[in-house]
Amino acid sequence: MFSYRHAFHAGNHADVLKHTTLIAVLRHLTEKPAALTVLDTHAGAGLYRLDGDYAETSGEAADGFLRLTQIPAKEAASPLLAGGLAPALQDYLDLVAEFNAKGSRRVYPGSPFIIHRLLRERDKLKLFELHPTDAKTLSANIAQLDAGRQIAVLMEDGFEGIKKFLPPPARRALVLSDPSYEIKSDYARVPAMAADSLKRFATGTYAVWYPLIPRPEAHDIPRKLKTLAVKAGKSWLNATLTVKSSKVTTDAAGDTKRPGLPASGMFIINPPHTLKAALQAALPQMALLLAQDRHAGFTLDAGG
Ligand code: SAM
């Protein structure tokens, strides 16, 4: 069984990139009146406490989401922030704030709650979570929403499980795929799932989060997804955010220090036409505010 628990990582820099992008995508997709189906292949527990044991152990939100809520004077004076926060980044902060009492930052919503907050009554949300503990917590968290048949929690493999929902009834869908990549096969399963999904439903929007770490499989993901999109004649967008160097170092005592997650990316097939401009404004600010060393930066590529 997996040992990855998203509670350790909730609100980290990868969540900032992933959730800012997710919100920007959903804002656009919910503008059209027709019902939308959202499939979250790797849902996690749904809601996280930033003052809980898990989050406090790793403190990753302190170097992620929380940095955006307390901007130091030096960064605030940067020309990149002269016009205030980019609308997509502000939208992300405002949405997280809705889960907290005024001024408090105790709760961090995972993708299921972020998605639900943006859906209309006619839209549907299917959540896949394979880990029994997280699936149970997710079900309990979702039950509090009283959303009835609008939301389904499935303790199933998300890569396989989405097949039965594609194509969706109103022929509008967003698939978010956010594996923990704990199992090496995830790296191959992500592009395989995207290829299969595009065959089932070519006009869906497919959003994939991937880690950028020094192993070839990780770099294969955006390469394979781009090839897939180009061959299928679909538009695509790839955004990456780096917060620090990926170099393994040795300290004075001779102990090896691994950097943790230095960077990650979001690859979207059939992105909304508004997404590139939204991220173009938000990414430089994310890189500035979340930088842990001089290697911080971002990339934004799109095609099709
Ligand atoms: N998407 C969530 C968010 O943004 O809040 C975080 C998800 S976390 C990175 C990945 C989750 O996928 C973990 O909770 C893990 O237990 C679950 N998981 C791993 N393999 C899975 C699979 N094949 N199908 C469904 N869930 C899986």
Side-chain angles (χ1 to χ4, degrees):
M1 190 33 78
F2 323 108
S3 61
Y4 180 93
R5 303 268 62 75
H6 195 67
F8 286 112
H9 311 286
N12 69 1
H13 63 86
D15 270 4
V16 174
L17 172 66
K18 180 199 316 171
H19 294 155
T20 301
T21 307
L22 174 64
I23 293 166
V25 169
L26 274 169
R27 287 276 181 218
H28 184 84
L29 292 180
T30 51
E31 270 173 11
K32 288 196 184 141
L36 178 71
T37 298
V38 184
L39 308 174
D40 187 348
T41 63
H42 294 68
L47 272 182
Y48 305 96
R49 289 206 64 124
L50 295 181
D51 58 354
D53 289 348
Y54 285 117
E56 286 200 342
T57 308
S58 56
E60 290 190 21
D63 275 334
F65 154 72
L66 291 173
R67 277 202 190 190
L68 304 179
T69 64
Q70 288 168 320
I71 301 177
K74 186 173 160 247
E75 276 79 15
S78 161
L80 283 175
L81 289 175
L85 280 178
L89 208 46
Q90 189 62 54
D91 199 9
Y92 161 71
L93 289 181
D94 291 346
L95 192 142
V96 178
E98 286 176 26
F99 290 84
N100 288 282
K102 202 170 180 348
S104 146
R105 295 174 195 101
R106 285 204 187 130
V107 177
Y108 188 83
S111 51
F113 276 72
I114 290 175
I115 296 165
H116 173 257
R117 193 49 74 113
L118 298 172
L119 294 187
R120 294 91 34 108
E121 261 180 46
R122 56 191 173 280
D123 302 323
K124 294 274 188 283
L125 173 57
K126 314 284 181 197
L127 302 167
F128 297 87
E129 174 52 54
L130 206 47
H131 194 286
T133 310
D134 280 356
K136 207 171 146 202
T137 311
L138 177 64
S139 295
N141 284 333
I142 292 293
Q144 291 182 24
L145 290 171
D146 247 336
R149 290 159 61 116
Q150 186 187 27
I151 309 182
V153 177
L154 302 108
M155 208 180 104
E156 291 175 25
D157 178 285
F159 294 119
E160 277 298 310
I162 61 165
K163 292 181 179 173
K164 56 180 171 284
F165 296 111
L166 295 174
R171 303 199 72 84
R172 298 191 66 232
L174 165 65
V175 175
L176 170 67
S177 195
D178 176 27
S180 40
Y181 297 92
E182 203 182 346
I183 305 176
K184 204 178 161 193
S185 58
D186 281 355
Y187 290 99
R189 292 188 80 191
V190 164
M193 177 202 67
D196 178 77
S197 299
L198 275 176
K199 276 188 204 141
R200 289 171 193 272
F201 184 47
T203 54
T205 297
Y206 299 94
V208 167
W209 179 86
Y210 60 94
L212 268 171
I213 48 175
R215 60 189 290 177
E217 311 87 90
H219 295 267
D220 279 349
I221 288 199
R223 201 177 42 75
K224 285 183 179 169
L225 291 174
K226 183 177 164 185
T227 304
L228 188 66
V230 170
K231 277 195 181 152
K234 300 293 166 191
S235 58
W236 58 274
L237 180 148
N238 186 29
T240 71
L241 175 68
T242 300
V243 298
K244 59 183 168 184
S245 162
S246 61
K247 272 219 171 91
V248 176
T249 52
T250 313
D251 65 15
D255 293 328
T256 301
K257 277 187 70 185
R258 296 191 181 280
L261 182 69
S264 71
M266 280 291 278
F267 196 102
I268 296 109
I269 299 177
N270 291 329
H273 67 87
T274 46
L275 187 61
K276 190 174 177 196
L279 292 180
Q280 190 93 60
L283 280 166
Q285 297 185 345
M286 284 187 210
L288 171 78
L289 298 172
L290 303 182
Q292 292 182 37
D293 65 26
R294 63 185 175 80
H295 297 273
F298 69 94
T299 64
L300 181 61
D301 301 298

